[in-house]
């Protein structure tokens, strides 16, 4: 179908909702979350504080932040049927993002009235989903390696507790901070595909759990949240900085896309890549292997952008969030197969905020399609 300004492909440039949650300035490479530039939030607020900002419109006082952290901590354990579902998913070889989608859907089982879409019910469900998602992913990681899940600890913030549930050890504060910063960095991002999917569901007056479950389904695709795993594979395959240029040229000649580059909205470097490259650099100080990978990534980034500019002139394909996400998450000892589920753990707070906003808006999102099929067919005989 041809592109025209009246029928933009993929709704490119179409405003589907007004939001107070976040603004993506693609030309200038800026991201505003609840009124704050990303750089102002990431590394300075905790994930729980950023979630409070999205759910209520303001950053919490110290007492309110402690209260929200406590409330989320109290909701971390998985009900038995949800844990059983995660076990079954692992036994059948389902990836963590699928286990998370199944588990998210089953989380309505112990909610007294899952259809309640009042503001109070929405916020309660938001806390529950954000609290439980890391527990699901940690359980998947443990079960996949043949170990039993570790019960969540209520005395740790969300990111530190996740690392505890994965390793069983006291979480390293630097690693916990890196994961926390990652989750703040990806907490919300305008009308991206999964957020739109969630808002469409919420716009029918469907509930929080249904909307967030649908959003997970949209996130898992490689054009959205599924890129960082392949980014790591790509770096390992490239192996050396000298091999980068021939590798990229060969892929582009074969018509392939380079993962971690290009964005529908950003035409300059994604500001989240900026934040996460700093985090990856800090994390790479600890181990030589990580340092080598980080140096390779920085060298490849420059080469890839240069080659993309030459092969795809005028497309302004720049580094996106997924490129450095891969480095941050692997430096935490996490495997690529878990990356998109970890993205969902952070974005869940943003999805929930959009559901709250959409429920308040209470207007059905229902676009139209342009029929391009045949007409007037008749049934023979
Ligand atoms: N590598 C190579 N070429 C790319 C590319 C990439 N990563 N991203 C876009 N292009 C090319 C397309 O092939 C197209 O070329 P053409 O005009 O010669 O046909 C042109 O750039 C425009 O692509 P288009 O698909 O219209 O852009 P989009 O806005 O729909 O795509 C993405 C945005 C993110 C889906 C796309 O850039 C992509 O696939 N990136 C790789 C996956 C990724 O990193 N995803 C994470 C996003 S945060």
């Amino acid at each position: 179908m041809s592109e025209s300004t009246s029928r933009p492909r993929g709704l490119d440039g179409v405003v589907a909702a007004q939001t107070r949650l976040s603004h993506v300035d693609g030309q200038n490479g800026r991201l505003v979350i609840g009124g704050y530039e990303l750089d102002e939030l990431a590394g300075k607020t905790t994930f729980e504080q950023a979630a409070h900002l999205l759910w209520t419109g303001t950053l919490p006082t110290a007492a309110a932040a402690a209260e929200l952290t406590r409330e989320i901590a109290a909701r971390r354990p998985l009900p038995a049927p949800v844990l059983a579902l995660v076990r079954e998913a692992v036994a059948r070889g389902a990836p963590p993002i699928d286990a998370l989608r199944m588990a998210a859907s089953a989380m309505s089982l112990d909610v007294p009235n899952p259809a309640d879409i009042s503001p109070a019910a929405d916020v309660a469900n938001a806390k529950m989903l954000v609290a439980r998602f890391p527990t699901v992913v940690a359980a998947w990681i443990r079960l996949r390696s043949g170990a039993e899940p570790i019960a969540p600890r209520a005395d740790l913030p969300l990111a530190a507790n996740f690392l505890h549930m994965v390793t069983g050890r006291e979480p390293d504060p630097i690693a916990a901070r890196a994961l926390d910063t990652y989750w703040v960095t990806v907490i919300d991002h305008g009308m991206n595909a999964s957020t739109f999917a969630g808002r469409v569901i919420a716009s029918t007056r469907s509930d929080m759990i249904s909307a967030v479950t649908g959003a997970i389904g949209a996130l898992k695709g490689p054009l959205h949240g599924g890129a960082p795993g392949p980014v790591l594979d790509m770096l390992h395959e490239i192996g050396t900085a000298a091999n980068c240029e021939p590798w990229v040229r060969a892929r582009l000649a074969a018509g392939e896309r380079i993962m971690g580059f290009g964005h529908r909205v950003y035409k300059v470097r994604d500001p989240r890549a900026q934040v996460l490259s700093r985090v990856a650099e800090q994390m790479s100080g600890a181990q030589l292997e990580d340092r080598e990978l980080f140096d390779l990534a920085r060298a490849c980034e420059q080469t890839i952008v240069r080659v993309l500019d030459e092969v795809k002139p005028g497309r302004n394909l720049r580094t996106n969030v997924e490129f450095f996400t891969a480095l941050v998450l692997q430096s935490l000892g996490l495997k690529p197969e878990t990356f998109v589920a970890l993205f969902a753990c952070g974005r869940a707070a943003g999805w929930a905020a959009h559901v709250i906003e959409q429920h308040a808006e209470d207007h059905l999102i229902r676009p139209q399609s342009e029929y391009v099929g045949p007409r007037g067919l008749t049934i023979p005989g």
Side-chain angles (χ1 to χ4, degrees):
M1 191 175 77
S2 69
E3 197 168 340
S4 77
T5 43
S6 58
R7 292 186 296 274
R9 271 179 88 202
L11 301 181
D12 193 3
V14 172
V15 172
Q18 287 195 323
T19 182
R20 301 183 65 82
L21 300 173
S22 63
H23 172 63
V24 181
D25 178 350
Q27 293 305 324
N28 298 305
R30 296 171 80 171
L31 169 59
V32 176
I33 298 176
Y36 298 86
E37 293 282 339
L38 173 64
D39 248 351
E40 191 57 32
L41 283 184
K44 294 189 192 167
T45 57
T46 65
F47 177 71
E48 286 90 337
Q49 288 171 317
H52 187 283
L53 171 65
L54 289 180
W55 297 343
T56 68
T58 55
L59 278 174
T61 60
E67 175 58 20
L68 180 62
T69 305
R70 261 196 307 278
E71 283 182 295
I72 291 177
R75 289 167 165 81
R76 280 178 196 149
L78 299 181
V82 176
L83 184 56
L85 193 57
V86 178
R87 279 186 198 280
E88 188 64 17
V90 172
R92 290 174 183 267
I97 188 68
D98 285 1
L100 187 65
R101 192 199 61 236
M102 296 174 211
S105 183
M107 283 177 198
S108 64
L109 286 173
D110 67 322
V111 171
N113 181 5
D116 187 352
I117 59 168
S118 64
D122 275 353
V123 171
N125 285 329
K127 289 174 189 165
M128 181 269 284
L129 293 168
V130 161
R132 287 180 181 173
F133 278 15
T135 314
V136 170
V137 181
W140 187 98
I141 293 171
R142 299 282 303 174
L143 291 164
R144 184 77 175 82
S145 68
E148 272 303 295
I150 293 173
R153 265 173 54 183
D155 61 321
L156 294 171
L158 202 68
N161 175 63
F162 172 78
L163 296 176
H164 167 70
M165 289 190 296
V166 170
T167 63
R169 293 192 299 271
E170 199 58 34
D172 168 30
I174 295 172
R177 192 160 171 76
L179 181 60
D180 190 71
T181 304
Y182 166 65
W183 279 341
V184 171
T185 303
V186 299
I187 198 165
D188 199 46
H189 201 241
M191 193 55 71
N192 59 86
S194 57
T195 298
F196 182 55
R199 283 191 81 127
V200 170
I201 295 170
S203 82
T204 70
R205 295 192 188 162
S206 179
D207 60 276
M208 171 71 73
I209 296 171
S210 301
V212 170
T213 303
I216 296 174
L219 181 76
K220 74 177 259 194
L223 298 189
H224 189 359
V231 163
L232 212 53
D233 296 339
M234 171 179 89
L235 289 173
H236 286 309
E237 221 178 298
I238 291 174
T240 63
N243 191 34
C244 185
E245 183 156 348
W247 190 94
V248 173
R249 285 190 186 282
R251 295 302 149 129
L252 291 176
E256 288 179 27
R257 290 186 179 206
I258 311 301
M259 292 294 125
F261 292 85
H263 197 273
R264 174 59 65 85
V265 184
Y266 292 121
K267 299 305 165 199
V268 293
R269 198 173 191 242
D270 184 335
R272 299 167 301 170
Q274 200 81 16
V275 170
L276 295 181
S277 89
R278 282 200 302 266
V279 176
E281 185 163 22
Q282 282 155 12
M283 289 300 294
S284 72
Q287 289 194 39
L288 181 62
E289 207 182 308
D290 290 343
R291 182 78 234 174
E292 285 173 356
L293 191 66
F294 180 76
D295 290 343
L296 175 66
R298 288 307 293 266
C300 286
E301 183 187 12
Q302 288 185 2
T303 307
I304 293 170
V305 167
R306 176 170 53 77
V307 174
L308 282 170
D309 267 347
E310 188 195 311
V311 179
K312 299 270 174 190
R315 297 338 182 277
N316 298 318
L317 302 170
R318 296 288 177 268
T319 324
N320 65 43
V321 64
E322 311 290 18
F323 191 69
F324 287 103
T325 291
L327 268 69
V328 171
L329 296 182
Q330 79 86 36
S331 74
L332 296 171
L334 299 162
K335 299 267 187 315
E337 60 200 359
T338 66
F339 289 178
V340 62
L342 287 161
F343 186 166
C345 291
R347 182 56 61 82
W351 289 331
H354 279 272
V355 171
I356 294 168
E357 204 175 58
Q358 187 64 44
H359 281 159
E361 167 83 14
D362 195 24
H363 189 78
L364 181 69
I365 300 174
R366 203 297 190 190
Q368 295 192 17
S369 52
E370 178 190 28
Y371 180 67
V372 294
R375 293 171 197 266
L377 299 180
T378 55
I379 309 286

